[in-house]
Amino acid sequence: PARPLRIPPRGVVVRASSEALAGGDAAVQAAWACVRARSHAPLRPPTVVAASGVSRRTLERRIQAHFGCSIQELIWRAHVDRAKRLLQESEQDLLGIALDSGFTSASAFATIFKRHAGLSPRAWRAHWRSLADPAE
């Protein structure tokens, strides 16, 4: 073609090897596995702490050291990542995506998504689609 054809990636494909974290901290690995497994449902930090087998303070410090965020932020990141995939791959309405991404309300979804993605869910979907179809 006269101009380069740019095709945006559809995202990261998660494989079993993605589940293992570098560093070998068993508590952080267990917490991360819990968060990933529950990215589709509401999740609270006490559930993640229980899965880790260490105290909340210990897990908070270790997650901060590994991911640079709190347990709650880690949960929100997983929910937002799932929401991004659903916004890309489905025609589902925003409330359905919010609920299928572990958020308990559309307003919480919109607020947290915008904080993490920089755009509202609707704007993010429109932006993604404009990248996928440059003719639009």
Side-chain angles (χ1 to χ4, degrees), residues 24-42:
D25 186 325
V28 172
Q29 288 180 353
W32 179 238
C34 176
V35 169
R36 299 255 326 157
R38 298 276 310 269
S39 66
H40 67 285

Side-chain angles (χ1 to χ4, degrees), residues 13-125:
V13 176
V14 178
R15 294 180 169 76
S17 61
S18 303
E19 294 299 321
L21 297 173
D25 186 325
V28 172
Q29 288 180 353
W32 179 238
C34 176
V35 169
R36 299 255 326 157
R38 298 276 310 269
S39 66
H40 67 285
L43 181 61
R44 307 274 305 145
T47 303
V48 178
V49 171
S52 74
V54 297
S55 72
R56 180 167 182 157
R57 182 68 190 126
T58 297
L59 186 61
E60 285 282 2
R61 282 194 324 268
R62 291 179 183 181
I63 284 180
Q64 181 66 41
H66 192 85
F67 291 103
C69 66
S70 68
I71 297 170
Q72 185 60 61
E73 280 293 321
L74 189 64
I75 292 168
W76 285 336
R77 286 180 188 179
H79 289 324
V80 169
D81 287 348
R82 180 174 172 82
K84 284 179 178 179
R85 283 191 306 276
L86 291 173
L87 286 165
Q88 282 175 233
E89 298 168 359
S90 77
E91 296 299 322
Q92 191 173 14
D93 67 349
L94 296 181
L95 177 59
I97 288 175
L99 297 175
D100 287 348
S101 299
F103 293 96
T104 56
S105 71
S107 62
F109 170 54
T111 300
I112 293 166
F113 189 94
K114 187 169 185 173
R115 184 183 318 147
H116 285 260
L119 296 169
S120 70
R122 186 178 316 278
W124 194 90
R125 179 182 259 174

